[in-house]
Amino acid sequence: MPLLLGVAQRVQRRGRSLDILGFGSMIELALFPCHLEAFYLILHFPNDWFQNSFTFQLRAVNVQRSQQWASTDVTIGISDTPSGTFTREDDFGSRESFEINTDEGPVRLENHRLVVRCPALMLSGPGGVKIEVVRDGCRTIAGYFVCGWSQPAPLSEAERRAILSRPGAKRFLGIILQCKECSDRITIKESLSPADQTDQEEGSCWAVDAPDPWRCKCGASVIPTVYIKNGLFELFRRDTGKIEGRQIAVTRQYEKHALHTMLAEYEQLIHSEPSEEAVQTFLEEHPIFWSFLSPISILHKPPILTVCKADFGILTSSHVLYLVEIEKPQTRLMKRNSGLHSEFQAGLDQLRTWRVLVEDQRSAVLQCMGFKMDEVHDVRFMLIAGLARSSHDNAIHTLRRSPLEGEFCCFDELAA
């Protein structure tokens, strides 16, 4: 009889083989309702099933509500030509080619194992899922798996800034609940910026104000929203690209026009001889300028013990903490007769002071910023000053090759 070996959260092709990730009998989700078509089932079939071509129906059934189920049809055909098929060779040199297709796309068979997308069953909350195989009117239970709920940690302000630094960041998320009987629907929204949660559109509400549970007008659909209230924001953390699930609506933070407008404003600012405070404010309001560091946390004016403060503290995805000092765009970098200008040297002196404090009291410095020791693998220093286009090429070249206290870039290079 067919046997469910487990469920995988992700399957990737690598050449002619598959990498199966997150494989097991339980998957933990941060958000419900959830369509299970985002996951993959790994099934094992008896050898005698593959003597001839055959078709079967794969069913996913909600254990708590057996009347809720979804299915997909799978056809397996045996042919003599391996073109466009997967070929298996046994110990005696006999070759068989399996052409496998479902209505969700191609799957892969190896040693009587089938990897196929789970049928599009929607679960409104945590629970068990039964997998059935139906062939020639005969229904067989292949196995079970469990969908659990894992409440994600709330978004901190520093993490929110880091997410905003991604060019593909999502500004609004909405999950759409709709009754199949009366077509009544509601969109429950979440915003990356709390300041957005003021306007209210008809037919929608913010997650914090959502009724629990939501009931449609006819009473046929009763869906708990506690998982939406406590888990929808988790989707902000995910990388850009397609979010699985047909009930999710996404509004991007940055469109092409918005990026061009932002760059134009930045160029105008850095060429207007602004104060250091004006530049600091602009970069605080537009964290996307730090995207080249792949931040997971951005701090404004982080304290370095009680001695001084950096302008920015940026923890990258590789767990490197950058302490950033900004000078003014009009800061002069080199003297006319070579040598570092005093305005530029002042910034380097600041980095030197930070380095001494970090080397002497690393644990206390990180604790003062709210980091644990294992969260930061290395501490580096960065100085942003001057304009490359306003400096001689020889001056920039000399600075690049000089041993400085940390990394260095100009304000116009920051916009690159």
Side-chain angles (χ1 to χ4, degrees):
M1 59 182 295
L3 178 66
L4 174 67
L5 300 179
V7 58
Q9 297 188 38
R10 192 175 179 186
V11 174
Q12 292 184 166
R13 294 190 180 275
R14 181 166 52 87
R16 298 186 63 184
S17 62
L18 294 180
D19 289 333
I20 299 175
L21 309 176
F23 174 74
S25 59
M26 178 177 179
I27 53 177
E28 290 190 351
L29 304 172
L31 179 65
F32 288 96
C34 176
H35 277 100
L36 298 185
E37 62 185 340
F39 304 102
Y40 296 84
L41 303 178
I42 293 85
L43 299 154
H44 183 275
F45 291 86
N47 184 49
D48 58 4
W49 278 50
F50 298 100
Q51 303 304 315
N52 299 289
S53 302
F54 66 94
T55 298
F56 68 92
Q57 184 185 73
L58 185 65
R59 285 191 176 192
V61 183
N62 187 337
V63 173
Q64 283 73 26
R65 298 183 178 180
S66 58
Q67 71 275 17
Q68 293 182 350
W69 57 275
S71 67
T72 183
D73 294 325
V74 182
T75 299
I76 299 180
I78 301 179
S79 63
D80 295 327
T81 57
S83 177
T85 64
F86 176 73
T87 302
R88 187 189 70 209
E89 183 173 349
D90 62 20
D91 295 336
F92 301 97
S94 176
R95 297 172 63 87
E96 290 179 305
S97 299
F98 296 84
E99 183 178 358
I100 309 163
N101 290 283
T102 72
D103 54 2
E104 294 294 328
V107 294
R108 181 74 174 270
L109 180 70
E110 195 172 24
N111 297 328
H112 311 312
R113 292 182 176 88
L114 187 67
V115 180
V116 60
R117 277 191 181 272
C118 183
L121 174 68
M122 190 191 81
L123 292 182
S124 58
V129 178
K130 177 172 61 175
I131 299 301
E132 298 177 341
V133 173
V134 183
R135 181 187 182 190
D136 298 331
C138 180
R139 182 180 303 178
T140 303
I141 299 176
Y144 297 82
F145 68 91
V146 176
C147 293
W149 183 59
S150 177
Q151 182 170 355
L155 283 176
S156 66
E157 182 62 22
E159 186 182 9
R160 186 186 68 83
R161 296 172 190 145
I163 294 173
L164 284 170
S165 72
R166 303 171 188 168
K170 298 172 279 288
R171 182 175 183 179
F172 294 105
L173 290 168
I175 187 164
I176 304 166
L177 307 180
Q178 183 170 4
C179 175
K180 292 183 177 180
E181 300 296 329
C182 65
S183 298
D184 187 23
R185 60 184 287 172
I186 185 175
T187 301
I188 301 176
K189 301 184 301 181
E190 188 68 86
S191 171
L192 192 57
S193 174
D196 291 330
Q197 298 185 12
T198 54
D199 299 332
Q200 187 76 18
E201 299 178 1
E202 185 177 356
S204 67
C205 67
W206 296 105
V208 68
D209 301 320
D212 188 27
W214 174 75
R215 301 176 185 272
C216 68
K217 293 178 179 178
C218 72
S221 297
V222 181
I223 301 177
T225 61
V226 62
Y227 308 108
I228 301 174
K229 290 171 175 282
N230 293 281
L232 184 57
F233 63 84
E234 171 67 15
L235 299 185
F236 287 122
R237 292 186 169 110
R238 298 188 184 178
D239 293 334
T240 56
K242 180 181 177 182
I243 295 180
E244 297 289 353
R246 294 168 292 183
Q247 78 277 21
I248 301 292
V250 177
T251 302
R252 289 166 58 93
Q253 172 73 21
Y254 304 108
E255 300 295 344
K256 189 174 182 179
H257 174 73
L259 290 175
H260 284 309
T261 302
M262 188 186 309
L263 283 173
E265 293 175 356
Y266 179 73
E267 290 285 343
Q268 183 179 2
L269 173 68
I270 63 177
H271 288 93
S272 63
E273 298 191 357
S275 64
E276 183 179 322
E277 292 74 18
V279 179
Q280 171 91 23
T281 300
F282 188 91
L283 293 177
E284 288 178 356
E285 294 175 350
H286 302 87
I288 193 173
F289 283 91
W290 305 115
S291 62
F292 70 99
L293 293 175
S294 299
I296 59 175
S297 182
I298 298 178
L299 305 179
H300 295 165
K301 293 292 185 180
I304 304 177
L305 301 179
T306 58
V307 180
C308 51
K309 292 184 178 181
D311 290 318
F312 291 93
I314 300 174
L315 182 64
T316 72
S317 56
S318 56
H319 299 280
V320 175
L321 175 62
Y322 280 90
L323 298 179
V324 182
E325 169 73 6
I326 64 171
E327 298 294 329
K328 293 180 288 188
Q330 59 269 30
T331 296
R332 287 171 286 185
L333 306 178
M334 301 285 290
K335 298 177 183 178
R336 291 184 179 180
N337 58 349
S338 75
L340 300 180
H341 198 281
S342 59
E343 295 178 357
F344 183 68
Q345 185 64 55
L348 295 178
D349 292 341
Q350 185 69 70
L351 298 191
R352 185 178 297 109
T353 300
W354 297 351
R355 182 182 294 277
V356 171
L357 292 171
V358 170
E359 289 177 351
D360 291 348
Q361 304 181 67
R362 176 188 174 97
S363 177
V365 169
L366 296 181
Q367 185 178 5
C368 192
M369 296 182 189
F371 294 118
K372 299 178 182 178
M373 285 290 290
D374 59 355
E375 290 181 302
V376 179
H377 299 169
D378 190 19
V379 180
R380 300 177 188 175
F381 308 91
M382 179 179 293
L383 175 62
I384 303 174
L387 295 173
R389 69 190 66 172
S390 301
S391 305
H392 295 293
D393 291 340
N394 289 339
I396 298 296
H397 181 68
T398 301
L399 287 175
R400 297 285 185 232
R401 302 189 63 179
S402 300
L404 303 177
E405 290 296 328
E407 300 181 26
F408 161 70
C409 75
C410 299
F411 280 98
D412 44 354
E413 294 172 327
L414 189 63

